[in-house]
Amino acid sequence: MRKQVIIGNWKMFKTNSEAKKFMKLAEKGFKTKPDLIAGVAVSATLLDTVKTNSKKLVVSAQNVHFEQSGAYTGEISIPMLKDININYSLVGHSERREYFNDTDEVINKKVKALLAANMTPVLCCGESLETFEKGKTIEFVKAQLVADFAGVSKEDAVKVIVAYEPIWAIGTGKVATPEIAQNVCKGVRDIIADLYDQATADQVVIQYGGSVKPDNVKQILSQPDIDGALVGGASLEVDSFLALLV
Ligand code: PGA
């Protein structure tokens, strides 16, 4: 049985004092459920504070470098994350792909480096509005996933969380209908089944992301191939974040 995984993506928001305040209230208000993993993906400067103030919620980085160390000004490494007990990182968010040149080749290296360190990659994929309107979503996502999973063993593939996030639904208030989201998440599972086998695909947690809010989260999560959500805007306020987890 797959777990449900709901992660708030804070993007480039919050100072340490704001994050601390959030975590106090969120930890107090979060009612754990046996099959639910919930947490937040935060900026590098917040990781230690948020981790120190978390007991029930998991903490994820938003990005990581694939090299263990080196002359890569501005980057953070896997050993740096492990040193503060961070075990998750987003990889290949569309904003990283678009603004910071995260290519599928780089994303694949990051996925493999995280898995080798026994960490969980939350691998983001998803198409532009233009691709969606041309009806080429599955084809596009398939090309991303084939490249992003290249060289990942079957045993490791089940540890990856895949987040399907249509770019046209991110931060736009335009949520994909549950039917569209389900259809593509099922498509993602089929792609993984093609790459590995059905048993492997059936174990992979697949999230939907893009304008998920407390008032639409239930409908989205009730779809058979959607196992969780990656949530930007609606994860920034404690009340709204907690309302996603009920
Ligand atoms: P949004 O962002 O929920 O604000 O649309 C989702 C994301 O970028 O992960």
Side-chain angles (χ1 to χ4, degrees):
M1 181 60 192
R2 297 188 295 268
K3 289 210 186 256
Q4 192 173 73
V5 184
I6 301 177
I7 297 177
N9 174 12
W10 286 358
K11 308 194 178 185
M12 198 174 71
F13 290 99
K14 293 194 192 299
T15 61
N16 265 291
S17 53
E18 288 165 349
K20 215 168 173 174
K21 215 163 120 191
F22 180 106
M23 288 307 285
K24 266 214 173 90
L25 295 169
E27 282 286 335
K28 209 168 137 200
F30 174 41
K31 293 187 179 52
T32 54
K33 289 190 257 178
D35 291 319
L36 171 66
I37 295 172
V40 283
V42 307
S43 297
T45 56
L46 307 181
L47 283 167
D48 199 19
T49 304
V50 172
K51 184 68 191 177
T52 308
N53 285 278
S54 75
K55 279 198 201 81
K56 298 178 274 184
L57 295 164
V58 302
V59 185
S60 172
Q62 295 180 359
N63 182 38
V64 73
H65 200 279
F66 54 82
E67 292 288 358
Q68 299 296 297
S69 62
Y72 299 104
T73 304
E75 292 292 305
I76 58 171
S77 73
I78 287 172
M80 290 172 190
L81 293 179
K82 296 218 85 165
D83 185 49
I84 53 169
N85 301 311
I86 302 295
N87 294 310
Y88 291 76
S89 180
L90 306 188
V91 183
H93 188 281
S94 61
E95 288 150 15
R96 301 255 3 135
R97 290 178 187 259
E98 186 177 350
Y99 308 130
F100 303 100
N101 203 29
D102 268 12
T103 60
D104 283 312
E105 195 188 340
V106 165
I107 289 162
N108 174 245
K109 286 185 181 168
K110 292 180 181 188
V111 167
K112 286 194 285 199
L114 286 163
L115 290 166
N118 226 357
M119 291 177 66
T120 303
V122 180
L123 168 62
C124 306
C125 60
E127 83 291 4
S128 66
L129 183 60
E130 198 190 344
T131 303
F132 172 71
E133 284 175 344
K134 280 190 192 146
K136 295 199 180 301
T137 297
I138 299 286
E139 204 178 302
F140 183 84
V141 168
K142 182 168 186 169
Q144 287 184 322
L145 293 179
V146 167
D148 300 343
F149 273 95
V152 174
S153 71
K154 191 160 91 170
E155 292 67 35
D156 274 346
V158 296
K159 299 174 191 160
V160 178
I161 295 173
V162 178
Y164 165 60
E165 298 203 299
I167 298 168
W168 48 270
I170 294 178
T172 58
K174 252 197 245 168
V175 64
T177 63
E179 292 72 32
I180 294 173
Q182 160 59 23
N183 188 35
V184 185
C185 288
K186 165 82 167 65
V188 167
R189 206 174 297 288
D190 291 344
I191 292 162
I192 298 169
D194 279 354
L195 286 173
Y196 300 95
D197 52 44
Q198 193 61 48
T200 303
D202 286 342
Q203 290 178 65
V204 173
V205 170
I206 301 175
Q207 297 176 313
Y208 167 80
S211 297
V212 176
K213 305 265 181 300
D215 65 3
N216 61 25
V217 70
K218 274 223 165 74
Q219 226 192 345
I220 287 167
L221 293 179
S222 68
Q223 302 301 313
D225 285 288
I226 304 181
D227 309 314
L230 186 57
V231 187
S235 73
L236 290 170
E237 299 295 333
V238 183
D239 289 350
S240 166
F241 174 71
L242 289 173
L244 297 164
L245 309 181
V246 293

